[in-house]
Amino acid sequence: MADSSDSEQFSDGESDDDFEVLSGSSESEDEMNEVPMNANPWFRVRPPEIDYLHDQRFVENSGPQNVPAADAKPIDYFLLFLTLDFLRHIVRERQTGKNLHLPVKYAQDFITSRQRVRRFSRLHSWFKVGAVTLAEMKGFISVILNMGLIRKPSITEHWNTKFPSQDTIWFRDIFSRNRFQSILNFFHIVDSNALPNQNDDNYSPPSKFQCFVDLFNRQSKLHYKPKQNLNIDESLIASKGRSCIIQYIPSKAAKFGVKLWVLAEAVSGYIYQLSVYKGRQFNPTPQGMLQGAYVVNKLLDVAGLFHKSYHLFTDSFFSSINLAKVLLTKGTFFTGTLRANRQMPNSIKHPVLQEKECVYIRQGNILLCTYKERNGRKPVFFKSSTGK
């Protein structure tokens, strides 16, 4: 139900021609009829509203795609994402007509770059043992994953045999301590010599692991089609490495790390697309756009989810009224909280509310709501877009 008494002037960065200035507080039908045909005001609405969900044509075939048989082993599902082809790429990469082992190549470059190698250094035994095989690479990854499950003070403690109560035989069965540490030291998934240096215009900070991110995005889309409700948020992978892409976010548990923009299915949390944030220097936001809106448009575009009636949910960092309007033109619905410093009508931004009270206003397909949970707490602002 619309109420003309709450219609008001508003602009969220668009031209003033898109909005009509309405004054007065009368609720008469005569004043409503005086509104020009091209006006686009905000009107007070009261629940329940008309349900437009039946007009949202979401027809995607959601769910798992291209998956193994029902009786497949867990390792078969694991290899859907970390494929054998990628493991072979790590172990052996074809360049200039020759098979070059990436760990061996990096080790050779590292050893030759040192002026002096100590007599009893492990570096001497690297070439004696031989190149890293595909079986060793599988074992190496399995050890890394199990170290995350079986926590110990240091890497070497997984091979400790001094105290029987702390002995973990499995790790010794897979690798000797020295061999594992040697592979860990020389582990590379790209040829560093082929990458642009930091002074090059084509330099990209995550280039040493970007191929792994690309693999994940490709396999994620190949094996699953998300349901209608989506979510975009940021995630932090803990790291204190020396890199220009390391971010400091005090609100996160890790605080220091590599920040990812993540597009996921809202119900299951299945990650459908992710992007590494490279910092302001390498990931500048286009002029006139909010960073959150730019990230949303970029992720949905790369994932190929526009014009399919998906419904996106985000927090206040990404949310804006203008973003909801833009997404509607691309066949995508949007719901999110709004920050108090974002532009919005005064009846929403400065409401007079009692405990458990809310206010709704609508402009076309855009619905705004403010809600006060209890006295003494600030109101919460919500925004949603629906299709008619």
Side-chain angles (χ1 to χ4, degrees), residues 16-183:
D16 294 336
D17 296 335
D18 294 333
F19 304 94
E20 181 67 15
V21 179
L22 300 178
S23 60
S25 58
S26 173
E27 298 183 6
S28 66
E29 293 184 1
D30 293 336
E31 286 196 22
M32 290 182 64
N33 294 331
E34 292 176 1
V35 178
M37 294 297 295
N38 62 348
N40 194 16
W42 290 89
F43 287 102
R44 178 79 174 267
V45 295
R46 306 184 188 280
E49 278 206 294
I50 301 174
D51 184 9
Y52 295 110
L53 292 179
H54 63 277
D55 291 326
Q56 298 181 9
R57 307 296 184 184
F58 182 76
V59 294
E60 292 296 300
N61 183 24
S62 303
Q65 313 283 327
N66 307 309
V67 296
D71 58 348
K73 297 180 180 179
I75 187 63
D76 295 324
Y77 289 90
F78 179 80
L79 292 175
L80 293 179
F81 293 89
L82 192 61
T83 64
L84 288 175
D85 287 340
F86 187 75
L87 293 177
R88 293 188 184 100
H89 161 77
I90 299 175
V91 173
R92 179 172 299 180
E93 183 181 41
R94 184 173 297 278
Q95 292 180 348
T96 63
K98 297 181 179 180
N99 291 331
L100 296 179
H101 300 269
L102 284 179
V104 172
K105 186 178 187 304
Y106 178 74
Q108 184 176 10
D109 294 340
F110 177 83
I111 294 172
T112 55
S113 66
R114 298 179 67 114
Q115 296 181 350
R116 179 175 175 270
V117 178
R118 294 181 180 179
R119 181 179 179 183
F120 298 104
S121 172
R122 293 181 198 165
L123 298 178
H124 293 293
S125 63
W126 171 257
F127 294 104
K128 294 180 181 178
V129 176
V132 179
T133 64
L134 180 61
E136 276 190 313
M137 187 54 61
K138 291 180 180 178
F140 175 78
I141 293 173
S142 67
V143 168
I144 292 290
L145 294 176
N146 277 279
M147 283 181 173
L149 299 174
I150 305 172
R151 299 295 185 92
K152 294 197 176 185
S154 64
I155 289 178
T156 57
E157 284 299 311
H158 291 85
W159 282 267
N160 188 349
T161 60
K162 185 175 182 179
F163 302 104
S165 61
Q166 301 174 17
D167 190 8
T168 311
I169 301 176
W170 181 85
F171 290 94
R172 296 200 307 274
D173 291 341
I174 302 298
F175 277 113
S176 69
R177 182 197 62 185
N178 290 356
R179 181 61 173 174
F180 174 81
Q181 289 187 319
S182 295
I183 297 176

Side-chain angles (χ1 to χ4, degrees), residues 292-360:
Y294 175 66
V295 170
V296 167
N297 279 278
K298 190 73 173 179
L299 281 176
L300 290 174
D301 185 32
V302 173
L305 298 181
F306 280 136
H307 304 290
K308 296 182 179 180
S309 296
Y310 277 100
H311 195 144
L312 178 67
F313 295 80
T314 72
D315 61 20
S316 60
F317 174 80
F318 302 91
S319 182
S320 68
I321 296 176
N322 189 56
L323 174 62
K325 294 179 179 179
V326 171
L327 292 181
L328 269 181
T329 65
K330 299 179 179 181
T332 304
F333 308 107
F334 184 86
T335 298
T337 55
L338 278 173
R339 291 184 175 180
N341 61 355
R342 296 283 164 87
Q343 295 182 356
M344 65 186 82
N346 287 329
S347 59
I348 292 293
K349 192 168 187 177
H350 305 292
V352 179
L353 298 175
Q354 301 300 321
E355 187 174 344
K356 304 294 184 182
E357 190 177 1
C358 56
V359 173
Y360 296 89

